[in-house]
Amino acid sequence: MKTINPETTIIVFDLDDTLYSEYEYKLSGIRSVIDTVAALYPDWNSDNLWRNIDPDGKDWLDKLCRHCGFNESEKQVLLWQYRLHRPTLTPYAPPDFLSELTAPFAARALITDGRSLTQRLKLEALGLSSLFDDILISEACSSEKPDGKRFRHLQDKYADKAGCFIYIGDNISKDFIAPNTLGWITIGLLPSGQNIHRHQPESFNTEYHPDFWVNSLQDLVPIIDSNT
């Protein structure tokens, strides 16, 4: 493995299920939609609406709309309510920890898939908006992982400043193949039981796998310290 010198290394993170639980975001969004409907329609209350959907399923919004008699146009309004709500989220690691961990590095960046406003609202809720020098979101960049466009952008931007890049993600189906191809150090956060996207590592060829798996972001400390 390459020796990590933080002063000449760029550390890059994924967002969903890497810095926080995407399942928690889903519940926050459903709660926002249900509370809005209950506040505006006196015929329904939040508890009753919760009982008529399956928050763990993918069709919770369809069930809610069927129960309430909403049409497709009304459904789309509620979908945007979900996407643009201000979530309540708990980071996997405190912002102070991440700030201290990443402070010695030449730069800090985020590469995440999703909608620009949705992802930035998540960062704001997590208290992490100011942590990153670069925030590269798929919608704004017209590129989704595993495409390497955003990874190459960072590599080109910091070509004169960095000799090493680290990427920390969770989704073996798309997070690591591009940085692996570029020779980056890749670190995977092992999934919890509630991860939105769960894959069996043995189903993927070696080029999809990270160099390391860790159980938590706190486990990054010995990896970084042992290679500096």
Side-chain angles (χ1 to χ4, degrees), residues 196-212:
I196 296 292
H197 304 287
R198 279 174 268 178
H199 304 283
Q200 297 300 321
E202 58 270 21
S203 301
F204 294 87
N205 295 330
T206 55
E207 61 265 28
Y208 284 84
H209 289 246
D211 296 314
F212 299 97

mmCIF file with all atom_site columns, all heavy atoms in Angstrom, residues 196-212:
data_model
loop_
_atom_site.group_PDB
_atom_site.id
_atom_site.type_symbol
_atom_site.label_atom_id
_atom_site.label_alt_id
_atom_site.label_comp_id
_atom_site.label_asym_id
_atom_site.label_entity_id
_atom_site.label_seq_id
_atom_site.pdbx_PDB_ins_code
_atom_site.Cartn_x
_atom_site.Cartn_y
_atom_site.Cartn_z
_atom_site.occupancy
_atom_site.B_iso_or_equiv
_atom_site.pdbx_formal_charge
_atom_site.auth_seq_id
_atom_site.auth_comp_id
_atom_site.auth_asym_id
_atom_site.auth_atom_id
_atom_site.pdbx_PDB_model_num
ATOM 1   N N   . ILE A 1 196 ? -29.701 1.050   2.597   1.00 0.00 ? 196 ILE A N   1
ATOM 2   C CA  . ILE A 1 196 ? -30.653 1.057   1.497   1.00 0.00 ? 196 ILE A CA  1
ATOM 3   C C   . ILE A 1 196 ? -30.189 0.119   0.383   1.00 0.00 ? 196 ILE A C   1
ATOM 4   O O   . ILE A 1 196 ? -30.959 -0.639  -0.192  1.00 0.00 ? 196 ILE A O   1
ATOM 5   C CB  . ILE A 1 196 ? -30.842 2.484   0.953   1.00 0.00 ? 196 ILE A CB  1
ATOM 6   C CG1 . ILE A 1 196 ? -31.465 3.396   2.027   1.00 0.00 ? 196 ILE A CG1 1
ATOM 7   C CG2 . ILE A 1 196 ? -31.695 2.472   -0.312  1.00 0.00 ? 196 ILE A CG2 1
ATOM 8   C CD1 . ILE A 1 196 ? -32.886 3.065   2.385   1.00 0.00 ? 196 ILE A CD1 1
ATOM 9   N N   . HIS A 1 197 ? -28.878 0.185   0.073   1.00 0.00 ? 197 HIS A N   1
ATOM 10  C CA  . HIS A 1 197 ? -28.316 -0.665  -0.989  1.00 0.00 ? 197 HIS A CA  1
ATOM 11  C C   . HIS A 1 197 ? -27.401 -1.700  -0.346  1.00 0.00 ? 197 HIS A C   1
ATOM 12  O O   . HIS A 1 197 ? -26.361 -1.349  0.210   1.00 0.00 ? 197 HIS A O   1
ATOM 13  C CB  . HIS A 1 197 ? -27.540 0.188   -1.996  1.00 0.00 ? 197 HIS A CB  1
ATOM 14  C CG  . HIS A 1 197 ? -28.357 1.290   -2.587  1.00 0.00 ? 197 HIS A CG  1
ATOM 15  N ND1 . HIS A 1 197 ? -29.356 1.061   -3.507  1.00 0.00 ? 197 HIS A ND1 1
ATOM 16  C CD2 . HIS A 1 197 ? -28.331 2.634   -2.375  1.00 0.00 ? 197 HIS A CD2 1
ATOM 17  C CE1 . HIS A 1 197 ? -29.902 2.209   -3.852  1.00 0.00 ? 197 HIS A CE1 1
ATOM 18  N NE2 . HIS A 1 197 ? -29.309 3.177   -3.184  1.00 0.00 ? 197 HIS A NE2 1
ATOM 19  N N   . ARG A 1 198 ? -27.809 -2.953  -0.428  1.00 0.00 ? 198 ARG A N   1
ATOM 20  C CA  . ARG A 1 198 ? -27.018 -4.026  0.167   1.00 0.00 ? 198 ARG A CA  1
ATOM 21  C C   . ARG A 1 198 ? -26.628 -5.018  -0.921  1.00 0.00 ? 198 ARG A C   1
ATOM 22  O O   . ARG A 1 198 ? -27.474 -5.473  -1.686  1.00 0.00 ? 198 ARG A O   1
ATOM 23  C CB  . ARG A 1 198 ? -27.811 -4.727  1.275   1.00 0.00 ? 198 ARG A CB  1
ATOM 24  C CG  . ARG A 1 198 ? -27.795 -3.981  2.595   1.00 0.00 ? 198 ARG A CG  1
ATOM 25  C CD  . ARG A 1 198 ? -28.697 -4.635  3.617   1.00 0.00 ? 198 ARG A CD  1
ATOM 26  N NE  . ARG A 1 198 ? -30.032 -4.054  3.583   1.00 0.00 ? 198 ARG A NE  1
ATOM 27  C CZ  . ARG A 1 198 ? -31.037 -4.460  4.350   1.00 0.00 ? 198 ARG A CZ  1
ATOM 28  N NH1 . ARG A 1 198 ? -30.859 -5.463  5.186   1.00 0.00 ? 198 ARG A NH1 1
ATOM 29  N NH2 . ARG A 1 198 ? -32.209 -3.881  4.267   1.00 0.00 ? 198 ARG A NH2 1
ATOM 30  N N   . HIS A 1 199 ? -25.342 -5.328  -0.986  1.00 0.00 ? 199 HIS A N   1
ATOM 31  C CA  . HIS A 1 199 ? -24.838 -6.232  -2.014  1.00 0.00 ? 199 HIS A CA  1
ATOM 32  C C   . HIS A 1 199 ? -23.923 -7.269  -1.366  1.00 0.00 ? 199 HIS A C   1
ATOM 33  O O   . HIS A 1 199 ? -23.282 -6.992  -0.346  1.00 0.00 ? 199 HIS A O   1
ATOM 34  C CB  . HIS A 1 199 ? -24.057 -5.453  -3.080  1.00 0.00 ? 199 HIS A CB  1
ATOM 35  C CG  . HIS A 1 199 ? -24.842 -4.354  -3.727  1.00 0.00 ? 199 HIS A CG  1
ATOM 36  N ND1 . HIS A 1 199 ? -25.791 -4.596  -4.695  1.00 0.00 ? 199 HIS A ND1 1
ATOM 37  C CD2 . HIS A 1 199 ? -24.821 -3.011  -3.548  1.00 0.00 ? 199 HIS A CD2 1
ATOM 38  C CE1 . HIS A 1 199 ? -26.318 -3.450  -5.085  1.00 0.00 ? 199 HIS A CE1 1
ATOM 39  N NE2 . HIS A 1 199 ? -25.749 -2.467  -4.405  1.00 0.00 ? 199 HIS A NE2 1
ATOM 40  N N   . GLN A 1 200 ? -23.840 -8.434  -1.998  1.00 0.00 ? 200 GLN A N   1
ATOM 41  C CA  . GLN A 1 200 ? -22.939 -9.475  -1.530  1.00 0.00 ? 200 GLN A CA  1
ATOM 42  C C   . GLN A 1 200 ? -21.574 -9.278  -2.189  1.00 0.00 ? 200 GLN A C   1
ATOM 43  O O   . GLN A 1 200 ? -21.471 -9.336  -3.419  1.00 0.00 ? 200 GLN A O   1
ATOM 44  C CB  . GLN A 1 200 ? -23.499 -10.854 -1.884  1.00 0.00 ? 200 GLN A CB  1
ATOM 45  C CG  . GLN A 1 200 ? -24.821 -11.181 -1.210  1.00 0.00 ? 200 GLN A CG  1
ATOM 46  C CD  . GLN A 1 200 ? -24.720 -11.178 0.299   1.00 0.00 ? 200 GLN A CD  1
ATOM 47  O OE1 . GLN A 1 200 ? -23.731 -11.625 0.875   1.00 0.00 ? 200 GLN A OE1 1
ATOM 48  N NE2 . GLN A 1 200 ? -25.737 -10.644 0.951   1.00 0.00 ? 200 GLN A NE2 1
ATOM 49  N N   . PRO A 1 201 ? -20.523 -9.015  -1.412  1.00 0.00 ? 201 PRO A N   1
ATOM 50  C CA  . PRO A 1 201 ? -19.198 -8.767  -2.010  1.00 0.00 ? 201 PRO A CA  1
ATOM 51  C C   . PRO A 1 201 ? -18.735 -9.879  -2.937  1.00 0.00 ? 201 PRO A C   1
ATOM 52  O O   . PRO A 1 201 ? -18.071 -9.615  -3.949  1.00 0.00 ? 201 PRO A O   1
ATOM 53  C CB  . PRO A 1 201 ? -18.286 -8.634  -0.783  1.00 0.00 ? 201 PRO A CB  1
ATOM 54  C CG  . PRO A 1 201 ? -19.183 -8.164  0.308   1.00 0.00 ? 201 PRO A CG  1
ATOM 55  C CD  . PRO A 1 201 ? -20.506 -8.842  0.047   1.00 0.00 ? 201 PRO A CD  1
ATOM 56  N N   . GLU A 1 202 ? -19.092 -11.129 -2.621  1.00 0.00 ? 202 GLU A N   1
ATOM 57  C CA  . GLU A 1 202 ? -18.631 -12.246 -3.442  1.00 0.00 ? 202 GLU A CA  1
ATOM 58  C C   . GLU A 1 202 ? -19.266 -12.237 -4.837  1.00 0.00 ? 202 GLU A C   1
ATOM 59  O O   . GLU A 1 202 ? -18.834 -12.971 -5.730  1.00 0.00 ? 202 GLU A O   1
ATOM 60  C CB  . GLU A 1 202 ? -18.920 -13.580 -2.750  1.00 0.00 ? 202 GLU A CB  1
ATOM 61  C CG  . GLU A 1 202 ? -20.376 -13.843 -2.427  1.00 0.00 ? 202 GLU A CG  1
ATOM 62  C CD  . GLU A 1 202 ? -20.777 -13.342 -1.043  1.00 0.00 ? 202 GLU A CD  1
ATOM 63  O OE1 . GLU A 1 202 ? -20.082 -12.465 -0.490  1.00 0.00 ? 202 GLU A OE1 1
ATOM 64  O OE2 . GLU A 1 202 ? -21.799 -13.828 -0.531  1.00 0.00 ? 202 GLU A OE2 1
ATOM 65  N N   . SER A 1 203 ? -20.280 -11.400 -5.036  1.00 0.00 ? 203 SER A N   1
ATOM 66  C CA  . SER A 1 203 ? -20.919 -11.298 -6.347  1.00 0.00 ? 203 SER A CA  1
ATOM 67  C C   . SER A 1 203 ? -20.163 -10.374 -7.305  1.00 0.00 ? 203 SER A C   1
ATOM 68  O O   . SER A 1 203 ? -20.550 -10.244 -8.468  1.00 0.00 ? 203 SER A O   1
ATOM 69  C CB  . SER A 1 203 ? -22.361 -10.788 -6.191  1.00 0.00 ? 203 SER A CB  1
ATOM 70  O OG  . SER A 1 203 ? -23.125 -11.647 -5.368  1.00 0.00 ? 203 SER A OG  1
ATOM 71  N N   . PHE A 1 204 ? -19.088 -9.735  -6.809  1.00 0.00 ? 204 PHE A N   1
ATOM 72  C CA  . PHE A 1 204 ? -18.382 -8.744  -7.614  1.00 0.00 ? 204 PHE A CA  1
ATOM 73  C C   . PHE A 1 204 ? -16.920 -9.131  -7.782  1.00 0.00 ? 204 PHE A C   1
ATOM 74  O O   . PHE A 1 204 ? -16.291 -9.654  -6.858  1.00 0.00 ? 204 PHE A O   1
ATOM 75  C CB  . PHE A 1 204 ? -18.472 -7.365  -6.953  1.00 0.00 ? 204 PHE A CB  1
ATOM 76  C CG  . PHE A 1 204 ? -19.876 -6.808  -6.927  1.00 0.00 ? 204 PHE A CG  1
ATOM 77  C CD1 . PHE A 1 204 ? -20.738 -7.126  -5.889  1.00 0.00 ? 204 PHE A CD1 1
ATOM 78  C CD2 . PHE A 1 204 ? -20.337 -5.994  -7.944  1.00 0.00 ? 204 PHE A CD2 1
ATOM 79  C CE1 . PHE A 1 204 ? -22.035 -6.638  -5.863  1.00 0.00 ? 204 PHE A CE1 1
ATOM 80  C CE2 . PHE A 1 204 ? -21.626 -5.495  -7.924  1.00 0.00 ? 204 PHE A CE2 1
ATOM 81  C CZ  . PHE A 1 204 ? -22.480 -5.820  -6.885  1.00 0.00 ? 204 PHE A CZ  1
ATOM 82  N N   . ASN A 1 205 ? -16.393 -8.854  -8.960  1.00 0.00 ? 205 ASN A N   1
ATOM 83  C CA  . ASN A 1 205 ? -14.985 -9.107  -9.234  1.00 0.00 ? 205 ASN A CA  1
ATOM 84  C C   . ASN A 1 205 ? -14.100 -8.216  -8.370  1.00 0.00 ? 205 ASN A C   1
ATOM 85  O O   . ASN A 1 205 ? -14.546 -7.210  -7.818  1.00 0.00 ? 205 ASN A O   1
ATOM 86  C CB  . ASN A 1 205 ? -14.680 -8.863  -10.720 1.00 0.00 ? 205 ASN A CB  1
ATOM 87  C CG  . ASN A 1 205 ? -15.398 -9.847  -11.626 1.00 0.00 ? 205 ASN A CG  1
ATOM 88  O OD1 . ASN A 1 205 ? -15.659 -10.982 -11.241 1.00 0.00 ? 205 ASN A OD1 1
ATOM 89  N ND2 . ASN A 1 205 ? -15.716 -9.407  -12.836 1.00 0.00 ? 205 ASN A ND2 1
ATOM 90  N N   . THR A 1 206 ? -12.818 -8.581  -8.294  1.00 0.00 ? 206 THR A N   1
ATOM 91  C CA  . THR A 1 206 ? -11.905 -7.898  -7.377  1.00 0.00 ? 206 THR A CA  1
ATOM 92  C C   . THR A 1 206 ? -11.767 -6.407  -7.666  1.00 0.00 ? 206 THR A C   1
ATOM 93  O O   . THR A 1 206 ? -11.528 -5.622  -6.747  1.00 0.00 ? 206 THR A O   1
ATOM 94  C CB  . THR A 1 206 ? -10.511 -8.552  -7.430  1.00 0.00 ? 206 THR A CB  1
ATOM 95  O OG1 . THR A 1 206 ? -10.054 -8.559  -8.798  1.00 0.00 ? 206 THR A OG1 1
ATOM 96  C CG2 . THR A 1 206 ? -10.564 -9.975  -6.912  1.00 0.00 ? 206 THR A CG2 1
ATOM 97  N N   . GLU A 1 207 ? -11.943 -5.998  -8.925  1.00 0.00 ? 207 GLU A N   1
ATOM 98  C CA  . GLU A 1 207 ? -11.760 -4.579  -9.236  1.00 0.00 ? 207 GLU A CA  1
ATOM 99  C C   . GLU A 1 207 ? -12.852 -3.700  -8.617  1.00 0.00 ? 207 GLU A C   1
ATOM 100 O O   . GLU A 1 207 ? -12.703 -2.481  -8.537  1.00 0.00 ? 207 GLU A O   1
ATOM 101 C CB  . GLU A 1 207 ? -11.714 -4.345  -10.749 1.00 0.00 ? 207 GLU A CB  1
ATOM 102 C CG  . GLU A 1 207 ? -12.949 -4.747  -11.520 1.00 0.00 ? 207 GLU A CG  1
ATOM 103 C CD  . GLU A 1 207 ? -12.841 -6.149  -12.117 1.00 0.00 ? 207 GLU A CD  1
ATOM 104 O OE1 . GLU A 1 207 ? -12.115 -6.986  -11.543 1.00 0.00 ? 207 GLU A OE1 1
ATOM 105 O OE2 . GLU A 1 207 ? -13.471 -6.387  -13.164 1.00 0.00 ? 207 GLU A OE2 1
ATOM 106 N N   . TYR A 1 208 ? -13.939 -4.330  -8.159  1.00 0.00 ? 208 TYR A N   1
ATOM 107 C CA  . TYR A 1 208 ? -15.006 -3.587  -7.492  1.00 0.00 ? 208 TYR A CA  1
ATOM 108 C C   . TYR A 1 208 ? -14.748 -3.423  -5.991  1.00 0.00 ? 208 TYR A C   1
ATOM 109 O O   . TYR A 1 208 ? -15.400 -2.607  -5.345  1.00 0.00 ? 208 TYR A O   1
ATOM 110 C CB  . TYR A 1 208 ? -16.346 -4.305  -7.681  1.00 0.00 ? 208 TYR A CB  1
ATOM 111 C CG  . TYR A 1 208 ? -16.955 -4.144  -9.055  1.00 0.00 ? 208 TYR A CG  1
ATOM 112 C CD1 . TYR A 1 208 ? -16.569 -4.972  -10.102 1.00 0.00 ? 208 TYR A CD1 1
ATOM 113 C CD2 . TYR A 1 208 ? -17.916 -3.171  -9.303  1.00 0.00 ? 208 TYR A CD2 1
ATOM 114 C CE1 . TYR A 1 208 ? -17.129 -4.839  -11.373 1.00 0.00 ? 208 TYR A CE1 1
ATOM 115 C CE2 . TYR A 1 208 ? -18.479 -3.030  -10.564 1.00 0.00 ? 208 TYR A CE2 1
ATOM 116 C CZ  . TYR A 1 208 ? -18.085 -3.861  -11.593 1.00 0.00 ? 208 TYR A CZ  1
ATOM 117 O OH  . TYR A 1 208 ? -18.632 -3.725  -12.845 1.00 0.00 ? 208 TYR A OH  1
ATOM 118 N N   . HIS A 1 209 ? -13.824 -4.191  -5.446  1.00 0.00 ? 209 HIS A N   1
ATOM 119 C CA  . HIS A 1 209 ? -13.615 -4.219  -4.002  1.00 0.00 ? 209 HIS A CA  1
ATOM 120 C C   . HIS A 1 209 ? -12.679 -3.101  -3.562  1.00 0.00 ? 209 HIS A C   1
ATOM 121 O O   . HIS A 1 209 ? -11.737 -2.750  -4.280  1.00 0.00 ? 209 HIS A O   1
ATOM 122 C CB  . HIS A 1 209 ? -13.020 -5.563  -3.581  1.00 0.00 ? 209 HIS A CB  1
ATOM 123 C CG  . HIS A 1 209 ? -13.976 -6.699  -3.669  1.00 0.00 ? 209 HIS A CG  1
ATOM 124 N ND1 . HIS A 1 209 ? -14.418 -7.381  -2.562  1.00 0.00 ? 209 HIS A ND1 1
ATOM 125 C CD2 . HIS A 1 209 ? -14.603 -7.281  -4.734  1.00 0.00 ? 209 HIS A CD2 1
ATOM 126 C CE1 . HIS A 1 209 ? -15.258 -8.342  -2.935  1.00 0.00 ? 209 HIS A CE1 1
ATOM 127 N NE2 . HIS A 1 209 ? -15.389 -8.297  -4.247  1.00 0.00 ? 209 HIS A NE2 1
ATOM 128 N N   . PRO A 1 210 ? -12.893 -2.562  -2.361  1.00 0.00 ? 210 PRO A N   1
ATOM 129 C CA  . PRO A 1 210 ? -11.943 -1.580  -1.827  1.00 0.00 ? 210 PRO A CA  1
ATOM 130 C C   . PRO A 1 210 ? -10.686 -2.274  -1.324  1.00 0.00 ? 210 PRO A C   1
ATOM 131 O O   . PRO A 1 210 ? -10.661 -3.496  -1.127  1.00 0.00 ? 210 PRO A O   1
ATOM 132 C CB  . PRO A 1 210 ? -12.727 -0.950  -0.670  1.00 0.00 ? 210 PRO A CB  1
ATOM 133 C CG  . PRO A 1 210 ? -13.617 -2.053  -0.187  1.00 0.00 ? 210 PRO A CG  1
ATOM 134 C CD  . PRO A 1 210 ? -14.015 -2.817  -1.436  1.00 0.00 ? 210 PRO A CD  1
ATOM 135 N N   . ASP A 1 211 ? -9.650  -1.467  -1.085  1.00 0.00 ? 211 ASP A N   1
ATOM 136 C CA  . ASP A 1 211 ? -8.426  -2.011  -0.502  1.00 0.00 ? 211 ASP A CA  1
ATOM 137 C C   . ASP A 1 211 ? -8.660  -2.480  0.930   1.00 0.00 ? 211 ASP A C   1
ATOM 138 O O   . ASP A 1 211 ? -8.033  -3.446  1.385   1.00 0.00 ? 211 ASP A O   1
ATOM 139 C CB  . ASP A 1 211 ? -7.323  -0.944  -0.503  1.00 0.00 ? 211 ASP A CB  1
ATOM 140 C CG  . ASP A 1 211 ? -6.929  -0.527  -1.912  1.00 0.00 ? 211 ASP A CG  1
ATOM 141 O OD1 . ASP A 1 211 ? -6.743  -1.427  -2.752  1.00 0.00 ? 211 ASP A OD1 1
ATOM 142 O OD2 . ASP A 1 211 ? -6.810  0.677   -2.163  1.00 0.00 ? 211 ASP A OD2 1
ATOM 143 N N   . PHE A 1 212 ? -9.544  -1.798  1.644   1.00 0.00 ? 212 PHE A N   1
ATOM 144 C CA  . PHE A 1 212 ? -9.840  -2.126  3.050   1.00 0.00 ? 212 PHE A CA  1
ATOM 145 C C   . PHE A 1 212 ? -11.341 -2.028  3.283   1.00 0.00 ? 212 PHE A C   1
ATOM 146 O O   . PHE A 1 212 ? -12.032 -1.217  2.663   1.00 0.00 ? 212 PHE A O   1
ATOM 147 C CB  . PHE A 1 212 ? -9.169  -1.126  4.013   1.00 0.00 ? 212 PHE A CB  1
ATOM 148 C CG  . PHE A 1 212 ? -7.686  -1.070  3.940   1.00 0.00 ? 212 PHE A CG  1
ATOM 149 C CD1 . PHE A 1 212 ? -7.063  -0.089  3.166   1.00 0.00 ? 212 PHE A CD1 1
ATOM 150 C CD2 . PHE A 1 212 ? -6.894  -1.964  4.637   1.00 0.00 ? 212 PHE A CD2 1
ATOM 151 C CE1 . PHE A 1 212 ? -5.680  -0.011  3.098   1.00 0.00 ? 212 PHE A CE1 1
ATOM 152 C CE2 . PHE A 1 212 ? -5.510  -1.900  4.572   1.00 0.00 ? 212 PHE A CE2 1
ATOM 153 C CZ  . PHE A 1 212 ? -4.910  -0.929  3.800   1.00 0.00 ? 212 PHE A CZ  1
#
